[in-house]
Amino acid sequence: MEQRQKSELTRQLILDESFKLFYKNGFESTSVDKIMKATNLTKGAFYHHYKSKKALGLEIISSKLQKRVYDGMITPLYEDGNVLTILENTFSRRLKSFSLFDKKHGCPMNNFINEIADKEEAYQIALKRIIEEWKAALIHLLERGKKENTINKSLSSNAIAIYLISAFEGVRGIRKLYNDDTILNEYITGLSLYINQLKA
């Protein structure tokens, strides 16, 4: 195997295993030693690819976390179709798609925000970028709805976007306290009621 390809596979292994450990156990409690144990690599291999755990954390945010939010919550907002249906489907479908592990451990991005965003400006900037792009996609969709007369023009698209993101992230965190999906199902019912109030 070519050295460059081998190096890339090693880097990807570190990323994949680190993400799993951070998601399950938290960023602060996951040491480089624990990552190396999970990957069966040496510390030399780690430091060949990353200057520090902070550098690794930033790459996890910009690759793993960003991809999850883009694939699940941003890309669907740019699809063609009825704006109200897209809104409801994007949020409810995403909640229904999560594995039991995802439900038990909450949203990895939100976990990062709660654990480390206030400790390091670099983390804050990287995480805020994802939220801002999610918010922008929602505002774009809502403004399209206003032009198409499906969304009430007097409502603030910015306020709706922030509310939808906050409520979604909140229920992901609250679900960690429960052993079943009752809270998620109630959220989905509430979401439907809320979206219905946005109609023109």
Side-chain angles (χ1 to χ4, degrees), residues 100-200:
L100 182 59
F101 180 90
D102 285 326
K103 290 171 183 175
K104 286 174 71 173
H105 294 280
C107 171
M109 179 181 68
N110 203 23
N111 293 347
F112 261 70
I113 290 169
N114 289 324
E115 188 181 5
I116 64 171
D118 61 340
K119 295 176 182 171
E120 183 74 51
E121 189 179 11
Y123 297 137
Q124 191 178 60
I125 291 167
L127 289 161
K128 195 193 313 187
R129 186 178 301 121
I130 300 171
I131 295 292
E132 287 298 318
E133 291 183 23
W134 187 3
K135 184 176 78 171
L138 281 165
I139 290 169
H140 173 82
L141 179 66
L142 291 161
E143 289 299 310
R144 174 164 78 80
K146 288 178 182 180
K147 286 176 188 170
E148 295 170 356
N149 293 313
T150 53
I151 299 283
N152 185 332
K153 289 182 172 68
S154 69
L155 301 175
S156 165
S157 296
N158 193 67
I160 294 166
I162 291 294
Y163 178 79
L164 287 169
I165 291 169
S166 301
F168 181 83
E169 290 301 323
V171 82
R172 291 289 320 275
I174 293 168
R175 172 59 178 82
K176 292 192 280 187
L177 303 173
Y178 295 87
N179 294 319
D180 62 39
D181 289 343
T182 302
I183 196 95
L184 297 184
N185 294 332
E186 288 171 349
Y187 166 86
I188 289 168
T189 300
L191 173 72
S192 185
L193 292 170
Y194 177 76
I195 289 174
N196 198 47
Q197 293 174 13
L198 306 179
K199 286 181 181 177

Side-chain angles (χ1 to χ4, degrees), residues 57-108:
L58 287 170
E59 187 164 347
I60 291 284
I61 293 168
S62 66
S63 61
K64 295 288 188 184
L65 300 186
Q66 185 167 317
K67 180 170 173 30
R68 281 176 66 104
V69 177
Y70 265 74
D71 291 350
M73 300 305 299
I74 295 177
T75 302
L77 298 175
Y78 289 103
E79 291 174 2
D80 293 331
N82 180 278
V83 167
L84 293 162
T85 303
I86 290 170
L87 265 183
E88 187 166 351
N89 285 349
T90 299
F91 283 85
S92 61
R93 188 172 54 218
R94 185 65 175 150
L95 279 180
K96 291 172 183 175
S97 75
F98 289 123
S99 67
L100 182 59
F101 180 90
D102 285 326
K103 290 171 183 175
K104 286 174 71 173
H105 294 280
C107 171

Side-chain angles (χ1 to χ4, degrees), residues 2-18:
E2 190 184 332
Q3 185 57 40
R4 190 184 306 158
Q5 187 181 7
K6 187 177 178 183
S7 180
E8 177 54 29
L9 287 172
T10 299
R11 189 187 69 82
Q12 198 58 54
L13 176 64
I14 294 169
L15 267 181
D16 291 343
E17 293 303 318
S18 300

